[in-house]
Amino acid sequence: MRVFLALIFLVLLGYGLGFVLFVSHLPPTPASLPQTILKADGIVALTGGNERLDTAVALLERGVGKRLLVSGVSQETTKETVGKVSEGGPRFRCCADIDYAEDTHGNAEEAAIWARQNHFHSLLIVTGRYHMPRTMREFSAVLPDVSLIAYPVDQSRIDLSGWWRYPRTIGVLHREYVKYLASLVTTRLAR
């Protein structure tokens, strides 16, 4: 019985330490990067917050990428609706596409099809900071020959500074950690 309890304790300790390491290694936002060096063939924005979409549209309008894919919109949403919400300008109207993926793996698969159709060799990936590790894992699994550039954004409803003080933030981070662990397994098995 002691061995069993010790084993459970070690598993829980490892899980807890892994969670803390996961959160402490979330990528910083690229606000401090010089924007002049930021360039990619395409930009992919994963839905899940206005900050993600607004950032991606602004990057497209500045010419950071040739085209934008907004991945994971609801079935009822049109490109025109997305353009109104994000206040997309002329580049958005000509050079933006949408897809209806239902999860991060689906986002990666749709982006892979889109990148191949457009002959893109580099993609700028825009999503939330807490979501970036799993996103990059899923995307690199289906796009091994494409250069992926992470562009994480902070989301107003998720406060990552002092995250341990906010039960809602802990819940969001914990769910993402569980999904990240599952992604580690599934992407390895897919290879």
Side-chain angles (χ1 to χ4, degrees):
M1 185 65 158
R2 282 187 180 174
V3 172
F4 178 71
L5 290 176
L7 184 60
I8 288 177
F9 174 76
L10 289 175
V11 167
L12 292 175
L13 180 66
Y15 182 84
L17 289 173
F19 173 70
V20 172
L21 282 171
F22 170 79
V23 174
S24 65
H25 285 91
L26 290 175
T29 58
S32 61
L33 294 176
Q35 298 302 313
T36 54
I37 63 167
L38 195 58
K39 205 79 162 146
D41 292 333
I43 302 167
V44 179
L46 280 65
T47 57
N50 287 346
E51 294 89 349
R52 298 176 187 188
L53 183 58
D54 293 344
T55 299
V57 169
L59 291 166
L60 176 70
E61 295 293 340
R62 284 203 321 254
V64 170
K66 298 172 193 168
R67 292 195 72 78
L68 166 65
L69 174 64
V70 181
S71 184
V73 300
S74 67
Q75 291 289 337
E76 305 80 37
T77 304
T78 64
K79 179 180 168 180
E80 290 73 28
T81 307
V82 174
K84 287 177 188 172
V85 169
S86 66
E87 299 179 17
R91 285 189 53 89
F92 182 86
R93 286 189 290 281
C94 82
C95 305
D97 304 298
I98 62 173
D99 78 47
Y100 305 101
E102 295 182 6
D103 57 22
T104 306
H105 182 73
N107 296 137
E109 288 179 333
E110 292 294 329
I113 294 167
W114 179 77
R116 287 184 191 104
Q117 287 173 343
N118 288 289
H119 308 288
F120 289 162
H121 301 286
S122 61
L123 296 177
L124 185 78
I125 311 298
V126 180
T127 192
R129 282 180 58 203
Y130 70 93
H131 189 234
M132 191 57 77
R134 180 165 57 103
T135 299
M136 294 303 281
R137 174 161 286 288
E138 293 284 349
F139 273 66
S140 53
V142 296
L143 289 161
D145 299 332
V146 173
S147 174
L148 302 173
I149 305 160
Y151 199 95
V153 296
D154 277 323
Q155 293 181 249
S156 58
R157 67 182 207 274
I158 301 184
D159 186 359
L160 293 177
S161 64
W163 58 269
W164 57 90
R165 292 180 289 191
Y166 307 106
R168 184 176 182 283
T169 302
I170 292 170
V172 168
L173 292 172
H174 183 258
R175 280 188 299 281
E176 187 59 31
Y177 177 60
V178 169
K179 291 176 183 179
Y180 176 74
L181 292 176
S183 177
L184 283 174
V185 173
T186 57
T187 55
R188 292 233 172 131
L189 290 176
R191 289 184 190 164

